[in-house]
Amino acid sequence: MFRARPEVRPATVEVFVEGSPVLVPEGATAAAAVLLAGLPAIRETPVTGSPRLPLCQMGVCFDCLAEIDGIPNRQACMVTVAPGMRIARQHGAREALR
Ligand code: FES
């Protein structure tokens, strides 16, 4: 469904989305990696369990909340990928970090 535009830099950074390797261009966001991975959802809403994927790509909708490198509630569209980054689906609500 999603593909990188042809003028985008080559995909050279390997990250892991739900444990599967995905190559993304340097400077891409974790949300872009999620979309390139082709997942049906990266999180589910806490009340109804409705599936969500990154939407606005600019930190407004919060539909991209994910667990990134073991930290839940990260806005994937606000996080730049790094080699070896692990992005995982978030189920329902998470407790606030203290
Ligand atoms: S995609 Fe909307 S806040 Fe991240």
Side-chain angles (χ1 to χ4, degrees):
M1 179 173 185
F2 292 94
R3 287 178 301 204
R5 295 181 355 211
E7 68 273 18
V8 172
R9 292 176 298 247
T12 57
V13 179
E14 184 179 57
V15 299
F16 297 89
V17 180
E18 286 286 288
S20 297
V22 178
L23 284 172
V24 296
E26 185 178 339
T29 65
V34 167
L35 295 174
L36 287 169
L39 293 183
I42 191 62
R43 77 173 185 100
E44 298 152 356
T45 59
V47 175
T48 67
S50 177
R52 294 286 190 259
L53 277 172
L55 179 64
C56 72
Q57 305 291 337
M58 58 183 184
V60 175
C61 72
F62 287 76
D63 278 344
C64 63
L65 291 180
E67 183 176 305
I68 299 176
D69 288 338
I71 302 173
N73 287 329
R74 305 279 313 271
Q75 282 181 279
C77 69
M78 298 284 104
V79 177
T80 302
V81 293
M85 176 180 278
R86 298 197 170 271
I87 305 162
R89 185 183 302 231
Q90 180 162 308
H91 299 280
R94 291 290 185 261
E95 292 184 20
L97 295 177
R98 296 168 202 204

